[in-house]
Amino acid sequence: MPTYNKLVRDKIPQVIEATGKKYKTEILNDQDYIKYLKEKSYEELDEYCSAQSKEEAVEELADLLEIIHSLANYHGSSMEEVEKVRQEKAEKRGGFQEKIFLVEVED
């Protein structure tokens, strides 16, 4: 039996069960949950960076967004609050649409 030791989406056990396979899961405590949620964010970001098509990229961005939802919830916030902070930062400092690459700043 392969060992995964990773955080999975809530319905994955049912998906596995539907195939007739046996599995073992655990419910994480808060400390381990945030640890594995952070690990999952790196995994999904890596998968986004490796995407070869627009469809793959959008799929991985959706996974990253799901993780961001979970992280916001863990920190007692909401996506509305995260979006508000994002908008405030964009108003003050801009976004990344203009593709500006800072090379150096004179002292």
Side-chain angles (χ1 to χ4, degrees):
M1 181 183 306
T3 301
Y4 289 90
N5 288 327
K6 69 179 192 174
L7 185 65
V8 295
R9 289 176 174 263
D10 298 338
K11 295 184 180 181
I12 293 301
Q14 292 94 323
V15 170
I16 296 168
E17 191 172 310
T19 68
K21 294 180 180 177
K22 296 195 182 302
Y23 62 92
K24 179 183 175 187
T25 62
E26 297 176 5
I27 302 300
L28 299 171
N29 62 39
D30 285 350
Q31 184 179 355
D32 286 339
Y33 173 64
I34 193 67
K35 171 188 167 187
Y36 288 112
L37 196 54
K38 288 176 181 180
E39 280 185 18
K40 190 74 171 174
S41 70
Y42 285 111
E43 175 188 332
E44 297 300 342
L45 181 58
D46 188 49
E47 289 175 5
Y48 166 74
C49 291
S50 299
Q52 298 293 310
S53 67
K54 175 187 171 190
E55 292 78 15
E56 284 181 281
V58 170
E59 182 86 14
E60 299 308 331
L61 287 171
D63 289 342
L64 281 164
L65 190 55
E66 187 63 39
I67 290 168
I68 292 169
H69 277 262
S70 296
L71 287 166
N73 184 273
Y74 176 83
H75 291 292
S77 191
S78 65
M79 285 307 293
E80 292 77 18
E81 176 69 19
V82 172
E83 178 60 19
K84 179 183 170 202
V85 172
R86 186 203 66 78
Q87 286 176 342
E88 289 170 355
K89 289 181 86 170
E91 287 172 16
K92 289 179 187 171
R93 301 174 65 95
F96 295 98
Q97 282 66 41
E98 295 183 27
K99 306 173 187 171
I100 298 170
F101 184 77
L102 181 64
V103 177
E104 64 184 8
V105 176
E106 184 179 313
D107 283 337

